[in-house]
């Protein structure tokens, strides 16, 4: 592929200094993601998957090495440029949904739009997104604890899509769901991928990884199959 990757990691290492000694979470990782790819990252617990995701999503910075976003090194980007990049270009989906428990499903999805535009959503976008992921109009008015795990993950996917990101980063998106719910969520992600979104997903589950068109395996902070 000769297009500029959406994300490139060059010789990226991440060390967490700890009282008992340094933890080398990532060791000299080289890795690129191209537009339109669906990549699954697999590896045992503690192998560095979440650390890798956080660096890809610019939620964290490496101890050494270079991260490029659309060809530009993140070390040349200002903090507010990185914040805008995260807000507008990336949708984050987590295992534990990370919904705000005091807000309704509707308000959770509307929230990123309020952050971006400084006012309530006066369009039908919020409701359209929630309908697209399969919530009914009545369910939209429920708070997260009044919804099942699968419904909460649907809300979190709708929230991730609010700013229409081109890139979805998912850390164990089906980790808290039974196999039927997992299949439904994966079908939803597959559909978003078929509509052109780039997806990077961490998963433990081989059946979930099957949905990806490339599987990257990480062990002890090293990518073993690139
Ligand atoms: N904030 C942190 N501080 C110290 N060590 C951490 C931190 N985050 C992760 N680690 C350590 O880095 C290694 C990789 O962790 P992580 O990326 O969460 O792995 P995974 O997601 O594959 O389970 C583990 O040894 C973990 O204990
Ligand atoms: Mg993890």
């Amino acid at each position: 592929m000769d297009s500029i990757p959406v994300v490139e990691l060059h010789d990226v290492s991440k060390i967490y200094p700890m009282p008992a000694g340094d933890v080398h979470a990532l060791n000299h990782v080289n890795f690129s993601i191209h537009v339109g790819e669906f990549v699954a990252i697999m590896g045992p617990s503690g192998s560095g998957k979440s650390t890798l995701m956080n660096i890809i999503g610019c939620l964290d910075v490496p101890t050494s090495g270079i991260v490029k976003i659309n060809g530009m090194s993140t070390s040349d980007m200002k903090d507010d440029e990185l914040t805008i990049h995260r807000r507008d270009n990336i949708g984050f989906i987590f295992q534990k949904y990370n919904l705000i428990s005091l807000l309704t499903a509707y308000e959770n999805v509307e929230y990123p739009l309020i952050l971006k535009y400084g006012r309530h959503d006066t369009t039908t976008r919020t409701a359209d997104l929630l309908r697209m992921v399969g919530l009914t109009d009545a369910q939209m008015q429920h708070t997260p604890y009044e919804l099942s795990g699968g419904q909460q993950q649907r809300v979190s996917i709708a929230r991730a899509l609010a700013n229409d990101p081109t890139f979805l980063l998912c850390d164990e998106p089906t980790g808290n769901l039974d196999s039927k719910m997992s299949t439904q969520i994966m079908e939803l992600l597959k559909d978003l991928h078929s509509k052109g979104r780039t997806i990077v997903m961490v998963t433990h589950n081989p059946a979930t990884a099957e949905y990806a068109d490339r599987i990257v395996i990480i062990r002890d902070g090293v990518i073993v199959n690139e």
Side-chain angles (χ1 to χ4, degrees), residues 44-143:
S45 182
S47 57
K49 302 183 297 296
S50 293
T51 303
L52 181 61
M53 291 291 287
N54 291 340
I55 289 175
I56 291 170
C58 301
L59 292 169
D60 201 356
V61 291
T63 308
S64 62
I66 294 170
V67 179
K68 287 187 182 176
I69 306 295
N70 299 319
M72 184 190 267
S73 172
T74 52
S75 60
D76 295 334
M77 294 167 75
K78 297 193 182 74
D79 280 354
D80 54 346
E81 284 178 286
L82 282 171
T83 304
I84 290 169
H85 163 67
R86 279 196 302 269
R87 188 192 69 191
D88 293 352
N89 300 335
I90 308 180
F92 293 94
I93 297 162
F94 301 97
Q95 176 174 358
K96 291 183 179 157
Y97 325 128
N98 292 7
L99 297 172
I100 301 171
S101 59
L102 293 174
L103 300 182
T104 63
Y106 183 95
E107 289 164 339
N108 267 281
V109 177
E110 187 191 32
Y111 191 60
L113 295 170
I114 293 177
L115 287 182
K116 184 169 179 183
Y117 299 110
R119 58 181 159 77
H120 281 282
D121 177 20
T122 54
T123 71
T124 58
R125 179 164 182 79
T126 301
D128 290 345
L129 283 166
L130 281 158
R131 281 186 205 117
M132 189 196 77
V133 298
L135 257 77
T136 65
D137 286 27
Q139 287 165 345
M140 290 176 204
Q141 300 312 321
H142 290 178
T143 56

Side-chain angles (χ1 to χ4, degrees), residues 16-18 23-25 43-52 171 202 204 218:
Y16 295 106
M18 299 297 283
V23 176
H24 292 255
S45 182
S47 57
K49 302 183 297 296
S50 293
T51 303
L52 181 61
D171 196 347
V202 164
H204 262 92
I218 182 167

